Each structure stands twice: as structure tokens, then as C-alpha cells.
Amino acid sequence: KNNSFCQTIGIDYPIIQGGMAWVAESTLAAAVSNAGGLGVIASGNAPVEFIKEEIRKVKKLTDKPFGVNIMLLSENADEVAQLVCDEGVKVVTTGAGNPGKYIGKWKEHGIKVIPVVASVALAKRMERVGVDAIIAEGYEAGGHVGEITTMALVPQVVDSVNISVIAAGGIADNRGVAASFMLGAHGVQVGTRFLVAEECIIHANYKKKVIDAKDIFTMVTGRSTGHPVRILRNKLARQFAKLEKEGASPEKIEKLGSGALAKAVREGDIDQGSLMAGQVAGMVSKEETCKDIIQDLMNLSELKGRLDLF
Ligand SMILES: O=C(O)COc1ccc(-c2c[nH]c(CNC(=O)Nc3ncc(Sc4ccccn4)s3)n2)cc1
């Protein structure tokens, strides 16, 4: 289709795979890129050497564009921000912060920069510093979230900037894609649905929890630490909630959570692991290839008839 965002990035479908820490590595990113979307390698808190290896691997697995996500709360953010320049990465997405200080260097290297924002204010600041597009992520998303829903945030961001807006948070099938375009977005970012992709390397226990989840099975923890994070309800989530109710210190809460995401992804510890997932986990019901997921997300013609309903 004549989608300016797809043409800018050089992808067939306006679908970005979420840069999910510990989850999005070269296998998943390459499968998404080979299926016509934008695969993204997540840096999370990983050391720069690990990310360099994943970038080398993805280059062997696909000739298509791919991105690298930089989680700006990571103490390695500065090093990874330099690595993407050294490795000739074409697209960078960012999360959990303001990438303003890196934009100049990235633009010198011709990198397309697509920050995630959770507010109109940050969207405007990002357009002013010259980013290429903006991912507006709503409260429905898994992981670190803002406080506004996708349905409310996306049209307000669309109205406040002149660059492409990508909708994220609560998008898991063709209806969410179609709705996002009606809100004025030029593309979508999808995370939770790719958690159960065949090419996603997370532990089978984690995938099963996502597949078995119902609509109300996620909760937001860690508000008191200033970093609200949406995860599936489990023992760890209940411990977080208890600590917060007791007014425990942010350090104590973060201590409980540290390494918890790795426990879930690597060891499949579904009780003490941090099972990050969005509110659409309830509609993610089976493991599929990235190709089938993307084909399903883009099966939009069957929805056109709904325009006659109003
Ligand atoms: O205004 C500013 O200066 C920056 O404010 C912001 C506030 C929020 C965001 C934001 C919301 N959502 C996203 C993109 N999504 C994410 O970043 N999702 C994440 N999931 C797990 C993560 S790991 C983590 C999380 C918290 C604490 C420690 N580690 S990051 N970015 C971006 C910018």
C-alpha cells in the first residue's frame, strides 16, 4: 500500500515487533523482518557485547531492515547508543526515557529514530529534536507503561505532531491494526502476540501462561518506584502488591524484581519470574510462526464491511 512509514523504513507491512527486553533477540527479529515487518533486537539491561553478537547474528539471518531497541533506564544505554552507530544499524527504537541526547549522533549516522512515548508532551519534544516517527504506547501494553490508554493517547499524539505515529499497546489482531489506522496511526507495534511466536525463545512455561491468560490476568506493579510495569498475575506480582501496600522502599521492591524477567524467560519460573505481558494476553491463544501472525494482523479486507455499519 502507499504507506509513507513503510517506504521510509523499507518494510512491506507497517508492523514493528516490540523491543521486549530478554525476549526480542536475533531469532525473533529475523523472523519478523523476513515476514515483511520490522524485527527489533532488544537491548534491555544487557551488556553491549551481547547486543553486538545479536546484531551480527541477525545480519546473517536476514537481508531485510531490522531495528535495535534501547531501554533508556539501562546503565549500558550510552554504550549501546554508540554500538548502533558502529554496527551500521538502520533503525533504533527507544523506551522508558528521553533519547534526546543521542539524536544528533544517530542522525549523523543516517539512523532512523523511533522513540516510544507515553504522552503528547514527549511526542512534541521528540518531533522538535528531529526523530523520524513516534510510537505512542498506551497503558494496555506489557512491561513499563504510561497512564493513558492507546485509544485515548494515539489520536492526541496524531493531532500534536506531523510525523508518522505508530500505535502500541493492546494490539493483537487485525481489528487492533484497523482501529489504529482509524485513530490516525500509520503502523502498529506488537509485543504480547509475538511472545508466543514459534521463533520466540522464551521458556515454554512463560508461553503457556500467556496462552492460558484471561482478559483480567495482568496487573500494574511498581508505581511507587516511578516505573509502573504490567505483568501477568502470579506469586511475584502478589508479593510486589503486598510490599507496595506496606509502603516498602522502592529499593526493596526493585530488589525483588531484579533478574525476575530473566527468571521467567530463561528458567520458566512462573511463580518468581516477572511475566511481562499486555492486556491482550487474553486473546493470544496459540503458538504461531511470525509469518502467520503478520498475515493475520494484515488481513484487513474482511473488516472493510464494518464501515457500512455506521
Ligand atoms: O518524559 C520523559 O523524559 C520520558 O518519559 C517516558 C516515560 C515512559 C516511557 C515509556 C512507556 N513505555 C515505554 C516503552 N516500553 C518500555 O520501555 N517497556 C519496558 N518494559 C520493561 C522494561 S525494563 C524496566 C522497566 C522499568 C524499570 C526498569 N526496567 S522497559 N516507554 C517513555 C518515556
Side-chain angles (χ1 to χ4, degrees):
K1 293 276 183 309
N2 57 344
N3 180 314
S4 56
F5 174 69
C6 288
Q7 286 149 16
T8 304
I9 304 293
I11 49 180
D12 302 327
Y13 303 116
I15 295 172
I16 300 177
Q17 161 243 309
M20 302 173 278
W22 290 105
V23 173
E25 38 65 78
S26 52
T27 322
L28 179 63
V32 170
S33 290
N34 284 332
L38 182 71
V40 174
I41 290 170
S43 309
N45 292 303
V48 70
E49 277 313 308
F50 176 85
I51 308 305
K52 184 190 280 190
E53 269 317 296
E54 289 307 308
I55 293 172
R56 302 278 164 90
K57 286 182 201 165
V58 80
K59 285 176 177 171
K60 293 195 182 85
L61 294 169
T62 184
D63 300 330
K64 305 251 175 138
F66 66 90
V68 172
N69 178 273
I70 298 180
M71 204 278 287
L72 295 165
L73 292 172
S74 165
E75 71 268 7
N76 304 324
D78 285 351
E79 286 177 276
V80 182
Q82 181 55 48
L83 177 73
V84 293
C85 299
D86 305 341
E87 293 294 316
V89 171
K90 298 271 184 300
V91 183
V92 167
T93 62
T94 65
N98 179 336
K101 67 179 181 175
Y102 303 122
I103 305 289
K105 174 160 54 175
W106 288 341
K107 291 188 77 70
E108 272 166 34
H109 286 80
I111 294 174
K112 301 287 183 212
V113 183
I114 315 178
V116 171
V117 305
S119 70
V120 165
L122 184 58
K124 284 177 157 171
R125 277 208 301 276
M126 290 293 93
E127 181 181 45
R128 250 198 317 278
V129 297
V131 301
D132 298 274
I134 284 179
I135 299 170
E137 184 195 76
Y139 182 64
E140 300 90 326
H144 184 28
V145 287
E147 293 288 343
I148 316 173
T149 63
T150 305
M151 177 77 90
L153 178 66
V154 171
Q156 293 182 70
V157 170
V158 167
D159 292 346
S160 67
V161 297
N162 293 314
I163 52 180
S164 292
V165 175
I166 305 304
I171 299 158
D173 70 4
N174 56 356
R175 293 170 295 180
V177 175
S180 297
F181 279 87
M182 296 310 278
L183 295 173
H186 279 85
V188 297
Q189 178 170 280
V190 173
T192 301
R193 179 116 186 237
F194 282 116
L195 280 177
V196 299
E198 278 180 23
E199 300 91 341
C200 179
I201 48 92
I202 67 174
H203 195 286
N205 294 355
Y206 189 167
K207 289 190 182 180
K208 184 169 179 350
K209 285 288 275 191
V210 175
I211 287 169
D212 293 347
K214 302 263 182 295
D215 54 336
I216 55 170
F217 277 28
T218 70
M219 64 186 280
V220 173
T221 62
R223 268 197 187 82
S224 59
T225 68
H227 301 306
V229 176
R230 181 178 302 286
I231 55 179
L232 287 176
R233 292 175 192 280
N234 67 353
K235 273 210 182 72
L236 177 72
R238 284 190 288 277
Q239 283 172 317
F240 273 134
K242 188 166 170 293
L243 280 181
E244 290 197 273
K245 216 161 76 187
E246 291 162 359
S249 68
E251 293 72 32
K252 196 162 179 218
I253 293 168
E254 274 174 4
K255 190 168 163 303
L256 178 68
S258 68
L261 188 54
K263 261 188 225 147
V265 170
R266 296 283 166 86
E267 302 155 29
D269 182 342
I270 52 176
D271 290 330
Q272 291 306 321
S274 170
L275 303 166
M276 292 190 184
Q279 289 183 318
V280 288
M283 57 195 271
V284 169
S285 54
K286 61 181 171 7
E287 191 172 26
E288 293 176 287
T289 63
C290 290
K291 184 173 184 300
D292 288 345
I293 291 172
I294 288 178
Q295 290 308 312
D296 179 63
L297 288 166
M298 293 308 296
N299 179 14
L300 301 171
S301 46
E302 69 175 31
L303 299 177
K304 282 186 178 141
R306 296 189 179 187
L307 287 169
D308 302 332
L309 295 175
F310 54 86

